[in-house]
Amino acid sequence: MDALGHDKGKMKSSSNSSSTEDPEAQSPEFCPGFKDVDAFVKYGLGTVVTATKASANLPQAGDEYDFYRSFPGFQEFCETQGDALLHCMSKLMQYHGCRAHMRDRNKLTGLEERFDLVVDSNDVILEKVGILLDEASGVNRTQQPIMPAGIQPPKTIVSSWNRKGRDFGQGGSSETFRLLHAKNIQRPQLKFREKVDHSNTPFVPKIFVKPNAIKPLPSYFANKRIRKERPEDLDVPAALADFIHQQRTQEHMEDMFAHPYQYELDHLTIPESLLSKPEPQMYKPLPETKCLFVDTLEDLVGLNEKLAQSSEFAVDLEHHSYRSFLGITCLMQISTREEDFIIDCLELRSELYILNETFTDPSIVKVFHGADSDIEWLQRDFGLYVVNMFDTHQAARALNLGRNSLDHLLKLYCDVNADKRYQLADWRIRPLPEEMYQYARADTHYLLYTYDRLRVDLFEVSNGQPTLLQVVWQRSKDISLKKYLKPIFTEDSYMELYRKQKRSFNTQQLAAFRLLYAWRDKLARREDESTGYILPNHMLMKISEELPKEAQGIIACCNPVPPLVRQQVNELHLLVQQARDMPLLKAEILVEKKKALTPKRKSESTLFGPHDTSRGSESDLPDFSSPGSLAKPGVLFSEDEDEIGNTQNLGGLVASAKITLFEDSDGVKEEIHLTVAQQKACSIMESFQNPFRMYLPSKDSNIHISQNAKYDPSSKVYEIRNRWKLQSLEQQRKEAQAKQEARAKAREKAQRAAEERKKAQQTYQESLQDVLTVRQQKLGAKKRERRPSDLQDETPKPKVKQPKPTEKPVVEQPPPPQADFKPFDYSQSDMKVFAGGRAKDSMQFDPNRQAAEPRNKRNPKGQKRDSSAGNKSMSYLAGKSERGNRQNWPKR
């Protein structure tokens, strides 16, 4: 306290001196001694830091504090400072309206009471700080809450999302808003032409026509017969029908779950006009703008034609999810520069696919705000997809505006206070009330002007470059590529909700939670109700935690009681009883279950190990009986590796259990060339050393070696141990050198083999030079007939050299006149040349040949046989006429 008073004196003196010297300091001060808030905060922060440093230097609790406490001076100083601090804290607590009896000297309850008072006071002060911070950020907690009409407000109202903003210009008068909610409304799902699929199967897109397509729609969606063909229509047993359906869907598995406009979005290019700085086009006033409510097919077609003529339009959706399992899109708002449109999606649910013509047009910009959910709802309910979209929420994030909501953007750019009173209203109400009609219209009326202003800011923030604009367009395209995924129930679905609650359940409570979760999901799918309507999450956790013994206990855990829980309370009671019959495990096991999604694997035997191959099946083990597989002989110690043989020829990293004592030493394995991967594996295996080598006794004598002697540098054992290390390094060097020599020998051997093949080929070419061809023999026979007298003097004509492409062709002399052709006498030839020939395989079925040939015979090199007439064999098979064979008819 003395230090604080000294600091205050310094502060006052400094402030007085500054006021006398600086004439500008005569202006009104924020606080005595501080000219503004920043100076006060800076001084307060420095004081707190100084106090924190001083408190760190105090004696710590324990022996140090007890030692200083033994001195009377220290004890008296602590009591004086403690009373001063308690007095200061009491004043602060009285100022904030808290209990301040801090001078209780009761040794038993005084300390606990003081601690409780401090905790309560801190809660009150922090709550006030939070309220002030909310008011500074624009959230006024003193506003009046919105209550439904006709309901008397209770004494204490807990409400935060539906508070009314006071207008200070009207004196802060309160008003009761009408929060419209319909209880007795006809379910719109009953009027849908296509019933909603709530089965536990993945979602299949509803599209069957693809406008503006670059890549055509897959046959599964384009052909309605394939989509509507079900196995139940076939007159076959149920098991066979399921098999047929499975085989039928596997053919189109990739098309069924792919994004239909994936190719178009991947190849979408943004024009330069959209990447430049635009000129914002002001919106029309709301009363002067025409608004059309679309609830017929004719109006929908007319709207589609108007949208096709525009260059951009804004879109927003109103959704309802409380009384439906998957949710329902109830309303769609579309605004152009000239008009506003509101579409009744409940009435035109089956016809809204018409808008795909404009929604997928890459030349038209579709402006959304926060389209992450809207894209999925359009796919799920109407089969609509969006190409070339701009998300204003992503643009606000790129600009770092702090608040990215639509009402903040409208207030910032349009100076419009958006009214969010009907954000959670029931949009299934028909006819639509006027208040909800105007609320829905305002969501998209100002969105196009906001889109222009955001593009201007993005262009200016990037210093005249389209960098941020490209980022926003890319993020918007990624959102357009999202696919709707139906919630699928699995055996572990409850674990996701269980982890979010951050509670620790025992086995009985966890079993009850699992059973109740499965019951809720099944009932929600059957009744088409949301899981929150069937049984909210906090009630589900309460029942699982309490495990009531009676049915009335389940009712007591729910306030208010959901209607379906009251109807089926007996079934819930049976599920809870089933969970109570589960064995109760210790808390340690539950901690392990909570950390992992699935419990750890428990083996049947306690001696089971993950690498224990003795408990696996024999079919899973590798086969070492084949001659191609190499095995490393089992070795006990690394010193014996040299005595076994060549350990470099390893086929893998698996060592078989072979005893070298009974192995035949005469049989030497042939040298096998290893691949690069096998050589790397062998080098890795050889780099490993036996970690127990130094602890093993020598082979000659079994002398005991002291453990301490191995680490004593003055001992002989230490010297021998280092020598072993050097020997192991020397051995590794020799092995590496041997490897290099083996590789060099293999390289030389391959070169010699190549040279031998080359010499053999040259010898074969030289032997073919003296052999006359049939044409040369024919010409020689003609010459002999014409000039038999010159037969002995005639020499064989040398082979004419073919001219190169660059050389001019040599003009040949005209051939002599040919004599009469004399057929070749085949009786003089060796007929064994034609003995091994086989006719080409015919494409016709021959049972005699099929029985003799193997079934898996294939055409070499993977080439298909040509079934044309020119390639068929001309050989004739006696006794097999194919003139009237039915198999020779052309296929349809």
Side-chain angles (χ1 to χ4, degrees), residues 187-252:
R187 296 170 64 84
Q189 297 95 314
L190 303 176
K191 298 180 181 180
F192 294 162
R193 296 181 185 177
E194 297 181 2
K195 300 302 179 182
V196 183
D197 183 17
H198 298 114
S199 61
N200 196 31
T201 55
F203 173 77
V204 179
K206 295 184 176 182
I207 188 172
F208 59 92
V209 177
K210 186 179 180 181
N212 304 309
I214 302 177
K215 183 179 180 180
L217 190 68
S219 60
Y220 177 79
F221 300 106
N223 193 344
K224 293 184 179 181
R225 182 185 61 82
I226 299 179
R227 299 184 65 181
K228 294 183 178 180
E229 197 173 29
R230 305 292 298 175
E232 297 86 62
D233 302 334
L234 305 176
D235 189 12
V236 294
L240 184 57
D242 294 340
F243 177 75
I244 295 174
H245 178 64
Q246 181 182 5
Q247 297 297 325
R248 186 178 298 155
T249 54
Q250 283 181 355
E251 299 176 0
H252 311 279

Side-chain angles (χ1 to χ4, degrees), residues 143-157:
Q143 298 170 348
Q144 295 293 333
I146 302 171
M147 295 299 299
I151 297 180
Q152 297 295 333
K155 294 182 180 180
T156 303
I157 300 175

Side-chain angles (χ1 to χ4, degrees), residues 59 105 107 112 138 440 551 573 635 673 687 720 761 766:
R105 293 297 183 178
K107 295 182 178 180
E112 295 183 359
H573 181 247
V635 182
H673 298 284
S687 64
I720 295 174
Q761 188 175 4
E766 292 174 358

Side-chain angles (χ1 to χ4, degrees), residues 72-175:
F74 180 80
Q75 185 175 0
E76 183 181 357
F77 176 79
C78 289
E79 291 179 357
T80 304
Q81 297 296 328
D83 292 339
L85 290 175
L86 291 177
H87 178 71
C88 182
M89 294 171 64
S90 300
K91 291 295 183 182
L92 290 174
M93 295 164 69
Q94 289 176 3
Y95 176 78
H96 290 286
C98 304
R99 270 193 318 126
H101 298 286
M102 299 294 295
R103 293 181 175 273
D104 189 3
R105 293 297 183 178
N106 191 349
K107 295 182 178 180
L108 296 178
T109 62
L111 183 61
E112 295 183 359
E113 185 178 0
R114 294 172 190 174
F115 183 78
D116 294 339
L117 287 176
V118 171
V119 171
D120 296 339
S121 302
N122 285 336
D123 293 341
V124 173
I125 295 173
L126 292 177
E127 179 67 20
K128 290 184 179 181
V129 171
I131 293 174
L132 294 176
L133 291 176
D134 291 339
E135 291 180 357
S137 61
V139 180
N140 192 355
R141 292 201 175 190
T142 60
Q143 298 170 348
Q144 295 293 333
I146 302 171
M147 295 299 299
I151 297 180
Q152 297 295 333
K155 294 182 180 180
T156 303
I157 300 175
V158 180
S159 177
S160 60
W161 61 269
N162 58 349
R163 294 182 185 274
K164 174 201 171 185
R166 285 189 177 183
D167 192 356
F168 295 98
Q170 299 178 359
S173 59
S174 61
E175 179 184 356

